[in-house]
Amino acid sequence: MSPLSLALTSLAARWNSALERELPAAEELRRELHREPRLSGSEHPTTARLVAALSDAVRVESVADAGGVGRIGPSDGPAIAIRAELDALPLAEATGAEFRSGNGAMHACGHDVHQAALVALVRAAEGLELPLGLVTLLQPREESYPSGALDMVEAGVLDRWAVAHVIGAHVHPGVRPGAVASGGGFINAAADEIDIRVHGRGGHAAYPHLASDTVAAIAQIALSLPEVTRRTVSPLRPALISIGTLSAGEGAANVLPGEGRVFATMRTTDPADRQPLFEAVRRMVEHVAAAFGVQADVLRIEGEPALINDVYLAADADDWLARLGVDGAEPMRSLGADDFSYFCAEVPSLMMFVGVETPDRDPQPSLHDPHFLPDDSAVGAVARALLAGYLAAAERVLGIEHHRSDFTEREEARA
Ligand SMILES: [Zn+2]
């Protein structure tokens, strides 16, 4: 092991035991946060509670409306950021838990667990000498638009706080409880929306030769979209277009409508496929429309970019997880989306998925299910994943910056 690795190992052991001591309070905090969830854009009370819980350790500044950011450890030089999302979902909770929400919103995506884990990790770092700054990103609006992560990036948070890497961890019932899935490369897809409006001349259904048939046109366009995808993107790189809305007509059987709409989501995993696929869709739609004698407007509504984990951070985090006694798991790749990807697009970053279990439920409820309620152990499991992420990121920054630092010398002397 290198002197740097040994020094970080000594820090990891002390941080991990301090973390154990913080967990009972953090589990209590998680229940409190769970009881009082706030929807996207209205997270201010949640932020205020977290700022209070962190107040001994860090001063949090407001950013991106309901968001917050603060820094512990060395106040200059590069920092590692850790992100926790603040928002809940518009769901009526069905868990029956003693600490269930009664306000029509629910932490059904585990963000209450992420928040409590971040608080535990930061409080546990008090009294330790961190080699690099730790920046807390309390991020609003993960579940809706406009994206809170994008707002934080655009507010200059990463530059201003000298963030070299961002670390995130998300609970997931699809990973074995207690295990952590990292994995380099694409984890989530870029999610754009394609809004296609078709215009023609309406008329009597018995005289279609005197009108234009927008219904036939949108039907043909719908069938052409998977074909465009197949012919544009290599089958070795996941991509898809799914139509969520197809509409025309006002309910009559004997009226040919003049307008039709196809509204679809486009998911790509390689940034190089994103623009070419959209352009191919536009060409196909315009030509199909022309063939039916109608006009089509094709609009792309840009969503989050693909979430691409840094391969080195992922490999190093796996090592640290093993050293902390945490099992690894296969990477959780999907064509879902998470706005953590805006951080990944700015600096090499890492998102992990932490296996959790809802007690007494078979089958296990998925994320966003009104029965989803990971047990208390999820807080510690997420906090340890974040710790492994910080250590991996610190190892990369320090390893690149200097081979031997004051930090390694002090930690060697301590060990
Ligand atoms: Zn989530």
Side-chain angles (χ1 to χ4, degrees):
M1 244 192 236
S2 70
L4 171 59
S5 216
L6 280 170
L8 285 172
T9 303
S10 141
L11 172 71
R14 283 179 296 122
W15 200 345
N16 200 25
S17 25
L19 183 59
E20 285 302 318
R21 293 193 291 276
E22 286 294 333
L23 288 181
E27 288 164 8
E28 204 46 55
L29 173 65
R30 179 271 178 127
R31 288 169 179 239
E32 200 185 312
L33 294 163
H34 189 91
R35 196 195 305 267
E36 286 291 334
R38 289 294 184 274
L39 295 176
S40 314
S42 311
E43 302 97 333
H44 306 82
T46 301
T47 315
R49 182 64 191 91
L50 294 172
V51 169
L54 288 166
S55 62
D56 292 344
V58 58
R59 202 172 59 80
V60 178
E61 285 181 23
S62 167
V63 66
D65 188 26
V69 58
R71 173 169 172 149
I72 61 166
S75 56
D76 55 359
I80 315 299
I82 297 187
R83 171 257 211 169
E85 318 90 313
L86 298 170
D87 51 348
L89 292 155
L91 273 185
E93 177 158 357
T95 65
E98 169 268 318
F99 55 96
R100 67 188 172 274
S101 154
N103 69 7
M106 180 189 173
H107 273 301
C109 201
H111 298 178
D112 51 338
V113 174
H114 307 163
Q115 294 157 25
L118 176 58
V119 168
L121 187 68
V122 169
R123 291 181 58 96
E126 258 194 295
L128 301 177
E129 243 181 287
L130 300 186
L132 295 170
L134 188 166
V135 169
T136 56
L137 298 180
L138 305 178
Q139 186 212 305
R141 285 174 279 110
E142 191 277 321
E143 302 284 4
S144 77
Y145 297 105
S147 154
L150 178 58
D151 281 357
M152 290 181 101
V153 168
E154 288 186 339
V157 163
L158 301 185
D159 286 340
R160 204 184 126 215
W161 301 79
V163 173
H165 302 292
V166 185
I167 305 299
H170 203 297
V171 294
H172 206 294
V175 177
R176 194 159 42 76
V180 174
S182 63
F186 112 79
I187 295 295
N188 282 152
D192 297 322
E193 289 176 345
I194 304 177
D195 197 354
I196 301 166
R197 307 278 181 157
V198 171
H199 323 279
R201 212 169 105 234
H204 197 299
Y207 306 87
H209 56 296
L210 300 179
S212 43
D213 196 344
T214 56
V215 171
I218 62 169
Q220 192 60 46
I221 286 168
L223 292 175
S224 75
L225 296 184
E227 178 62 18
V228 180
T229 311
R230 192 178 72 75
R231 294 181 329 104
T232 310
V233 179
S234 162
L236 301 182
R237 296 196 298 272
L240 66 76
I241 298 176
S242 284
I243 297 166
T245 295
L246 186 82
S247 59
E250 303 294 333
N254 60 353
V255 178
L256 292 178
E259 309 285 327
R261 183 183 185 211
V262 180
F263 195 31
T265 184
M266 177 180 97
R267 305 289 167 115
T268 49
T269 53
D270 188 325
D273 288 327
R274 203 173 176 188
Q275 189 63 27
L277 180 56
F278 175 70
E279 291 304 330
V281 167
R282 186 209 298 278
R283 274 195 306 278
M284 175 69 99
V285 170
E286 286 173 354
H287 285 91
V288 170
F292 280 80
V294 296
Q295 286 235 315
D297 297 325
V298 187
L299 183 74
R300 172 176 154 199
I301 303 157
E302 195 173 306
E304 46 272 75
L307 196 167
I308 312 237
N309 270 348
D310 182 68
V311 287
Y312 303 105
L313 282 181
D316 290 352
D318 282 344
D319 285 348
W320 281 108
L321 287 164
R323 281 184 240 175
L324 292 169
V326 178
D327 285 345
E330 281 299 296
M332 286 293 295
R333 304 188 201 281
S334 82
L335 296 190
D338 187 307
D339 69 357
F340 186 82
S341 60
Y342 285 113
F343 300 125
C344 300
E346 296 295 313
V347 293
S349 295
L350 177 65
M351 167 64 97
M352 294 165 278
F353 293 94
V354 179
V356 294
E357 192 167 28
T358 298
D360 308 320
R361 290 272 167 193
D362 189 23
Q364 281 286 298
S366 65
L367 296 171
H368 295 204
D369 182 309
H371 298 95
F372 179 72
L373 190 71
D375 64 32
D376 287 344
S377 69
V379 176
V382 170
R384 275 185 293 274
L386 296 173
L387 173 56
Y390 175 93
L391 295 165
E395 192 167 21
R396 284 209 68 68
V397 173
L398 295 167
I400 291 165
E401 286 221 323
H402 20 235
H403 295 290
R404 191 171 186 83
S405 64
D406 293 350
F407 165 73
T408 55
E409 277 164 24
R410 278 196 303 274
E411 288 294 317
E412 269 182 306
R414 220 189 296 262

